[in-house]
């Protein structure tokens, strides 16, 4: 160290100690001495400028020019607004640009951490989670302070970005806690200087500003321009606070003149870039989610035809694993039920995936709908070598709250791949579970319809059989040939009834069944039963089996007119219900006394005391076609009309 440097650093230590002790006059004398040294020396211009900045910093407005006069070189080369000031302003801009780059890097690193992203997205965060966010943003603010540029007893920094962001993104609690952390650090643990108190206060104000616009940001009402001007307002307030609190006023004014423009402009720009970084990360996350959903829905759509046939049939599950295997890069796709492997599509020998020891991991109890990773280390030593460098991601297939199987994907072990596969698998398993749930509902509906149909078959009116046999018995003595024909007709009727196992029949088949019934009834009533059947030519639609029989039977039984003749009219024709909607109207009319109003209501409401036959018809129609369909019962001038409408060309 040269003699000059020794003298230089000696003076530096002395005057700094004097200022800290409050010995202002003595400190000024030492500063004057230092200035004189530099006037007499040509060894270090950089040190000269450094000390001249300090002299001006501590001099205040009244002594500033005297101090400059003391230093002839300073008056010539370092006036307050000289070349040196321009150089310092450019340096501030450059350093702040570097700080902003650092903040952008920090934002990128943070938003790539799943745990941090979860904190940022939390709508109903706990106090602990909010404190964690405050600590994160507080740390960002402290880093911004330490990486700032020291000048004139202050630090030109980007601390406002961290504090404002905390309030805007995290709300009042996070914003104020971050402001307290950053403000306390600035005042207590960082450099002192005459702006320590004012900077601490302005940090708290920034926390308040960020918190005030929290709801506006959450509602999506803030854009880049709003962020720019909000940050500019915060920095302007900071400058005002420095002028109000920092002493001496002259030094505060000189400082604000130096730092105001760089801090207002650069922090405002930095705030926009900082938020853009968050937005870009979230946009990428949303894009990846959308891509997973697109892929999941595509696979689910292709698999639907096989899933509708039920879960568990090997040929259907093999088709599903082939579809998944062809869509995503993996080593294998596995579907199991709760006992065994149903299907495997694999690039490698699939026998390893059928091992009992491995199957135990796939068929274990479900932990919600979350996908789980089965690592090589999780397996028994017996099969561990078979899964070297592989990881299995498995998700449960559910119906309601019950696990019925699993969907698993085997991939090569590499960094972070299991998480992305896990997210995809969870969505796909949920879709499979939903589709299987729909299938189960439809299947149960078909079973219910089939049970209703079988019950209806077993409830064919025994009185009709007794009456038919009595009629045949009476005819045997009079006309043996006719009796024989009736026996064949009755046998045909019951064969149709008992052998038919289809829930839906073509309307022609249903009408023919009713004709067979009426032929037997005509043999009983002879000329006192008159039937008229009018079916629109070319009419083609399906109806539930035995849907007409109870209606026609009721008309024959109760349709006795005043002259003792039972007249039954059956019709079926197409009708327009509305634009583009065509229905088939099927009706049975008689000429009896009609329905009592209470009786009709009991039938249509499903009351147990109503006609069982007609009540079942009404419920079957609603179950098959929907609640808007069902029986219509009305009395006419000379009888009753029972009818219903169904969609034209309806299929089961």
């Amino acid at each position: 160290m040269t003699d000059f440097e020794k003298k230089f650093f000696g003076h530096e230590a002395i005057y700094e100690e004097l200022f800290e002790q409050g010995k202002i006059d003595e400190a000024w004398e030492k500063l004057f001495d230092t200035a004189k040294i530099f006037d007499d020396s040509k060894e270090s211009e950089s040190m000269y400028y450094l000390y001249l900045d300090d002299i001006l910093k501590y001099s205040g407005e009244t002594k500033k020019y005297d101090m400059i006069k003391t230093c002839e070189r300073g008056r010539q080369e370092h006036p307050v607004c000289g070349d040196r000031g321009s150089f310092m302003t450019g340096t501030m801009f450059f350093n702040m640009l570097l700080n902003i780059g650092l903040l952008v890097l920090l934002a990128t690193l943070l938003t790539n951490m799943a745990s941090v992203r979860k904190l940022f997205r939390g709508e109903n965060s706990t106090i602990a989670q909010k404190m964690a966010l405050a600590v994160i943003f507080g740390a960002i603010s402290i880093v911004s302070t330490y990486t700032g540029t020291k000048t004139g007893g202050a630090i030109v920094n980007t601390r406002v970005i961290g504090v404002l962001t905390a309030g805007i993104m995290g709300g009042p609690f996070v914003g104020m806690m971050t402001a307290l952390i950053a403000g306390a650090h600035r005042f207590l643990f960082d450099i002192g200087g005459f702006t320590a108190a004012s900077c601490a206060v302005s940090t708290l104000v920034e926390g308040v500003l960020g918190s005030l616009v929290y709801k506006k940001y959450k509602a999506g009402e803030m854009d880049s321009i709003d962020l720019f001007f909000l940050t500019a307002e915060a920095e302007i307030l900071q400058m005002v606070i420095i002028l109000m609190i920092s002493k001496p006023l002259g030094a505060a004014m000189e400082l604000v003149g130096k730092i105001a423009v760089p801090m207002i402009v650069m922090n405002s720009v930095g705030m926009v870039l900082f938020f853009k970084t968050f937005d870009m990360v979230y946009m990428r996350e949303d894009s990846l989610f959308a891509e997973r959903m697109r892929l999941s829905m595509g696979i689910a759509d292709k698999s639907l035809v096989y899933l509708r046939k039920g879960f568990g049939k090997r040929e259907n599950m093999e088709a599903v694993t082939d579809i998944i295997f062809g869509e995503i890069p993996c080593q294998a796709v596995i579907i199991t039920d709760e006992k065994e492997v149903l299907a495997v599509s694999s690039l490698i020998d699939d026998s390893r995936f059928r091992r009992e020891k491995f199957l135990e991991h796939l068929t274990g109890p479900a932990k919600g709908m979350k996908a789980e990773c089965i690592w090589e280390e999780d397996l028994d030593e017996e099969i561990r070598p078979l899964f070297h460098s592989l990881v299995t991601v498995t998700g449960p297939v559910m119906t309601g709250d019950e696990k019925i199987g699993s969907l698993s994907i085997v991939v090569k072990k590499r960094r972070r791949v299991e998480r992305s596969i896990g997210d995809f698998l969870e969505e796909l398993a949920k879709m499979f579970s939903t589709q299987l749930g729909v299938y189960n509902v439809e299947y149960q509906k078909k079973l219910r319809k089939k049970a209703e149909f079988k019950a209806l078959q077993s409830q064919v009116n025994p009185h009709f059989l007794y009456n038919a046999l009595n009629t045949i018995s009476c005819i045997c003595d009079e006309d043996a040939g006719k009796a024989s024909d009736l026996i064949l007709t009755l046998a045909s009727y019951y064969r149709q009834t008992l052998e038919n196992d289809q829930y839906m029949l073509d309307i022609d088949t249903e009408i023919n069944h009713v004709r067979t019934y009426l032929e037997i009834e005509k043999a009983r009533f002879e000329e006192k039963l008159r039937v008229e059947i009018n079916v629109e030519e070319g009419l083609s639609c399906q109806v539930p089996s035995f849907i007409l029989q109870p209606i026609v039977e009721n008309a024959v039984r109760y349709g006795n007119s005043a002259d003792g003749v039972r007249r039954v009219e059956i019709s079926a024709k197409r009708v327009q219900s509305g634009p583009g909607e065509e229905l088939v109207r099927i009706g049975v009319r008689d000429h009896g006394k009609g329905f009592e109003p209470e009786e009709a209501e009991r039938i249509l409401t499903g009351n147990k005391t109503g006609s069982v036959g007609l009540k079942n018809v009404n419920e079957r129609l609603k179950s098959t076609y929907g609640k808007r369909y069902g029986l219509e019962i009305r009395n006419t001038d000379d009888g009753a009309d029972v009818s219903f409408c169904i969609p034209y060309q309806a299929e089961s």
Side-chain angles (χ1 to χ4, degrees):
M1 183 179 294
T2 65
D3 292 339
F4 170 80
E5 289 174 333
K6 291 178 181 177
K7 196 172 187 180
F8 177 90
F9 289 114
H11 278 267
E12 178 186 33
I14 293 170
Y15 84 74
E16 285 186 351
E17 184 180 351
L18 290 171
F19 270 114
E20 290 176 0
Q21 294 174 357
K23 299 177 181 178
I24 306 299
D25 292 338
E26 295 180 39
W28 280 122
E29 290 179 7
K30 184 57 63 177
L31 282 172
F32 276 98
D33 291 342
T34 304
K36 291 177 181 179
I37 292 171
F38 292 118
D39 271 344
D40 298 334
S41 175
K42 307 291 183 182
E43 291 189 45
S44 179
E45 284 196 19
S46 62
M47 291 183 180
Y48 170 80
Y49 288 134
L50 178 64
Y51 263 94
L52 188 56
D53 279 341
D54 287 338
I55 293 169
L56 293 175
K57 174 182 72 176
Y58 290 111
S59 66
E61 193 69 36
T62 58
K63 299 182 179 180
K64 178 170 57 180
Y65 296 108
D66 290 338
M67 293 299 300
I68 293 175
K69 288 179 181 179
T70 305
C71 307
E72 183 65 26
R73 190 187 307 169
R75 187 175 69 247
Q76 295 174 355
E77 300 181 12
H78 192 350
V80 176
C81 299
D83 296 335
R84 173 70 175 162
S86 301
F87 173 77
M88 287 298 297
T89 301
T91 302
M92 282 186 243
F93 272 105
F94 180 73
N95 288 341
M96 290 193 73
L97 185 62
L98 293 178
N99 289 350
I100 291 169
L102 177 62
L103 289 182
V104 170
L105 177 61
L106 285 174
T108 304
L109 293 174
L110 287 171
T111 50
N112 276 284
M113 298 170 63
S115 57
V116 176
R117 289 201 306 271
K118 186 177 179 181
L119 288 174
F120 286 161
R121 286 187 176 275
E123 296 293 335
N124 298 308
S125 303
T126 63
I127 294 295
Q129 290 172 328
K130 290 179 179 179
M131 278 300 304
L133 271 180
V135 170
I136 290 172
F137 282 115
I140 290 174
S141 302
I142 291 172
V143 170
S144 298
T145 298
Y146 275 124
T147 55
T149 303
K150 295 181 181 180
T151 182
I155 305 175
V156 182
N157 62 85
T158 54
R159 182 174 56 252
V160 64
I161 296 176
V163 178
L164 272 181
T165 302
I168 295 170
M169 296 188 65
F173 181 87
V174 177
M176 292 311 301
M177 289 302 301
T178 301
L180 285 171
I181 293 171
H185 170 266
R186 176 66 179 89
F187 184 75
L188 298 173
F189 299 101
D190 196 45
I191 68 167
F194 77 117
T195 62
S198 58
C199 289
V201 173
S202 65
T203 302
L204 295 176
V205 172
E206 291 158 2
V208 172
L209 281 177
S211 302
L212 289 175
V213 299
Y214 167 70
K215 290 185 177 179
K216 186 177 180 182
Y217 170 75
K218 284 294 184 182
E221 298 174 357
M222 289 194 71
D223 55 17
S224 297
I225 295 175
D226 295 324
L227 289 170
F228 181 93
F229 284 106
L230 177 67
T231 310
E233 291 170 8
E235 284 299 287
I236 292 171
L237 280 174
Q238 181 177 11
M239 300 301 128
V240 173
I241 293 170
I242 289 175
L243 293 174
M244 291 174 62
I245 297 177
S246 300
K247 302 299 179 185
L249 179 60
M253 293 178 66
E254 182 182 353
L255 175 66
V256 170
K258 287 181 181 180
I259 69 173
V261 173
M263 290 192 68
I264 293 172
V265 174
M266 296 304 292
N267 277 321
S268 300
V269 173
M271 187 70 171
V272 174
L273 294 175
F274 193 65
F275 261 78
K276 286 290 184 184
T277 304
F278 280 100
D279 289 342
M280 288 176 63
V281 172
Y282 288 135
M283 286 174 62
R284 183 183 65 186
E285 189 176 63
D286 292 341
S287 177
L288 291 173
F289 177 76
E291 178 61 22
R292 289 199 305 269
M293 290 297 296
R294 185 199 64 78
L295 183 59
S296 300
M297 292 183 70
I299 293 174
D301 185 60
K302 293 178 181 178
S303 305
L304 182 59
V305 62
Y306 303 104
L307 293 174
R308 278 179 172 173
K309 298 176 182 178
F311 187 83
K313 295 182 178 179
R314 292 183 180 276
E315 59 273 17
N316 296 330
M317 296 301 100
E318 287 172 356
V320 172
T321 58
D322 287 343
I323 292 170
I324 300 172
F325 189 74
E327 292 289 338
I328 63 172
C330 62
Q331 300 299 299
V333 179
I334 311 165
I335 294 179
T336 75
D337 59 16
E338 287 298 87
K339 296 181 179 178
E340 59 182 340
V341 174
L342 298 176
V344 178
S345 295
S346 175
L347 285 173
I348 51 185
D349 181 19
D350 65 12
S351 63
R352 70 185 69 185
F353 306 122
R354 302 179 185 274
R355 296 287 189 96
E356 184 177 348
K357 292 289 186 181
F358 179 67
L359 186 60
E360 291 174 357
H361 293 274
L362 305 183
T363 57
K367 299 177 181 177
M369 286 297 299
K370 291 291 183 182
E372 297 180 18
C373 292
I374 304 172
W375 302 92
E376 176 186 344
E377 297 80 10
D378 299 328
L379 302 173
D380 292 346
E381 293 184 5
E382 177 185 339
I383 60 172
R384 191 176 298 168
L386 300 174
F387 294 87
H388 179 64
S389 298
L390 297 176
V391 57
T392 303
V393 186
T394 184
V397 180
M398 315 281 286
T399 55
D401 295 331
E402 181 184 0
K403 182 184 176 184
I404 61 172
S406 66
L407 172 63
S408 305
I409 296 175
V410 182
V411 295
K412 288 184 177 180
K413 188 191 298 183
R414 59 183 185 272
R415 188 174 176 269
R416 296 177 62 87
V417 69
E418 70 281 349
R419 185 62 265 166
S420 60
I421 291 292
D423 293 340
F424 162 75
L425 194 64
E426 284 179 14
E427 299 299 329
L428 186 59
K430 287 177 183 177
M431 290 185 180
F432 278 13
S433 298
T434 301
Q435 290 179 345
L436 289 170
V438 172
Y439 163 77
N440 284 338
V441 171
E442 293 177 350
Y443 182 67
Q444 292 299 324
K445 188 175 180 180
K446 288 180 179 179
L447 288 179
R448 188 177 72 250
K449 288 181 178 180
K450 191 172 182 179
E452 291 174 351
F453 177 55
K454 292 295 184 183
L456 185 65
Q457 285 181 311
S458 65
Q459 293 174 2
V460 175
N461 195 338
H463 296 291
F464 166 68
L465 177 60
Y466 300 150
N467 292 333
L469 292 175
N470 285 331
T471 300
I472 293 171
S473 177
C474 294
I475 295 174
C476 282
D477 295 334
E478 301 174 4
D479 191 340
K482 186 178 180 180
S484 178
D485 291 339
L486 281 175
I487 291 172
L488 293 175
T489 302
L490 183 63
S492 175
Y493 173 81
Y494 272 94
R495 186 179 299 109
Q496 294 175 30
T497 301
L498 299 175
E499 292 183 359
N500 178 31
D501 60 355
Q502 296 183 9
Y503 187 78
M504 302 295 290
L505 294 174
D506 187 83
I507 191 169
D508 289 337
T509 304
E510 182 69 8
I511 292 291
N512 287 334
H513 184 72
V514 171
R515 289 182 194 274
T516 303
Y517 162 76
L518 290 172
E519 284 181 21
I520 298 171
E521 289 288 60
K522 281 182 180 182
R524 174 185 173 194
F525 293 106
E526 298 180 338
E527 296 298 323
K528 292 185 179 182
L529 176 60
R530 299 176 185 178
V531 179
E532 183 179 345
I533 300 177
N534 297 308
V535 179
E536 181 180 324
E537 186 176 353
L539 183 63
S540 177
C541 69
Q542 290 194 320
V543 297
S545 299
F546 299 109
I547 203 72
L548 273 177
Q549 167 82 25
I551 304 175
V552 173
E553 188 175 343
N554 189 79
V556 172
R557 185 175 181 183
Y558 298 106
N560 192 14
S561 60
D563 59 3
V565 178
R566 302 170 190 268
R567 296 179 177 86
V568 179
E569 301 168 13
I570 303 172
S571 62
K573 61 180 180 179
R574 286 179 289 180
V575 295
Q576 287 295 131
S577 176
E581 185 178 18
E582 198 170 21
L583 303 176
V584 176
R585 186 176 187 85
I586 301 173
V588 178
R589 184 172 181 178
D590 64 54
H591 294 266
K593 64 179 183 178
F595 288 87
E596 294 292 335
E598 296 82 2
E599 175 68 10
E601 184 179 357
R602 285 194 292 268
I603 293 171
L604 298 179
T605 58
N607 194 298
K608 294 181 178 180
T609 60
S611 171
V612 176
L614 295 184
K615 179 175 72 70
N616 286 342
V617 169
N618 187 54
E619 291 177 353
R620 290 180 67 205
L621 287 170
K622 290 180 179 292
S623 175
T624 303
Y625 300 108
K627 293 184 178 181
R628 59 180 289 200
Y629 299 95
L631 285 180
E632 298 177 18
I633 299 175
R634 66 184 183 92
N635 290 329
T636 64
D637 294 339
D638 57 351
D641 188 344
V642 180
S643 62
F644 60 88
C645 290
I646 60 174
Y648 179 56
Q649 291 184 336
E651 298 181 357
S652 60

